[in-house]
Amino acid sequence: MSLVMFDLRLNYPLIGEEAALIEHCIHSMPSNELEQRLLLPSWSGALQDRVLAAQWLGLSGEESISICMSAHHALIALAFAAELRGATIVTEDYTYPGFKAIADLFEIGLLPCETDAYGLVPDALKALCAQHSARALYIQPTIHNPLGILMPLQRRQEIADLAQRYGLFIIEDDAYRFLAKDAPARFYDLVPQQTAFIMSLTKPVSPALKIAYLLAPPQLAPALATAIRLTSSGASALLSGVASKLIHEGLIDQLIRRKRQEAAVRQIAAKQILVDLSLQSHSTSYHIWLRLPEGLQAPQLERALRKHDVAIVSGEEFAVEQHKGSQYIRIALGGEAEQLRLEQGIRLLKEAL
């Protein structure tokens, strides 16, 4: 939470229980285990941590799991391991700005694909694949950032079929999957032989718990281990141990349930304030995609809100195409720890509209 600004920009939801849980995990760690976890980690993560992660993620074995420092780190390691430098990758027409930055770093060309109320449009993807030599598809199918869409299973199956037909490697970034109670099958479950799935713990737990699980086809494991070694010397074994303890004791599942409940409360409160505006969101997500009234542009609104110490994100930051998105903003509901401050910030936004 910002001390001077109403933060409707960043989205790392904290509900006040995280510090005590992390403290418990460290203090209850046997001294011999703690000593081991202070040593240089295995490049892809300790075996016992990967086994627990595999069980939590519903896998039959740990062979396909690598432990990274964050989703960003997983994406960078994957770009190295899958040799994606200079490749063309399809993504939704609005996508995660962090991936856009990583694409620039690797000179990756992004092809924006049309979306509808159910996510990526299969016919649009088919047309792009017929016209371009795309290597991969970067997709956020579960509570998309920023659109808030939860893609249904049938749509996932259609896209998986197209990926197989055109040889697209699927990069499935599921940062917000934990907020969807009964999310459909992952692309990794549908086409595991050509999918990489990324699950970070920075949002389910805390931005300080820099641990992410990367599931990828086994043939990429050696290259991923090398990429992780070169980019980080391996994720922190201590933080990985904290994550494993949270999983083993069921604490992370309890925390996730609480965060879902809190998200639902915040969605209701925000929509009551923003009534009669054009909104798009998921009922248990921590963000809202808002179409601005006719004639108002996001940069103009950002400047006006800055005078009232309110921070928002312009849709331009998410747009894959240049000069697009200025008629939208994303409102983050997880940047303010106190709901009262969140509601105050949203009211100031409503007044500016």
Side-chain angles (χ1 to χ4, degrees), residues 330-342:
R330 191 197 73 170
I331 305 168
L333 307 182
E336 291 290 342
E338 298 174 11
Q339 185 168 333
L340 180 60
R341 275 186 58 88
L342 172 66

Side-chain angles (χ1 to χ4, degrees), residues 95-122:
T95 194
Y96 174 48
F99 181 69
K100 289 171 57 182
I102 291 169
D104 285 343
L105 182 66
F106 284 88
E107 300 176 333
I108 291 170
L110 295 182
L111 282 177
C113 186
E114 178 189 352
T115 54
D116 62 14
Y118 303 107
L120 205 73
V121 175

Side-chain angles (χ1 to χ4, degrees), residues 36 39 109 132 144 147 184 191 234 240 247 253 266 313 329 338:
Q36 284 296 313
L39 301 176
H132 303 273
H144 180 278
L147 303 178
V191 278
S240 187
I247 291 170
D253 292 327
R266 292 184 175 218
V313 190
I329 62 169
E338 298 174 11

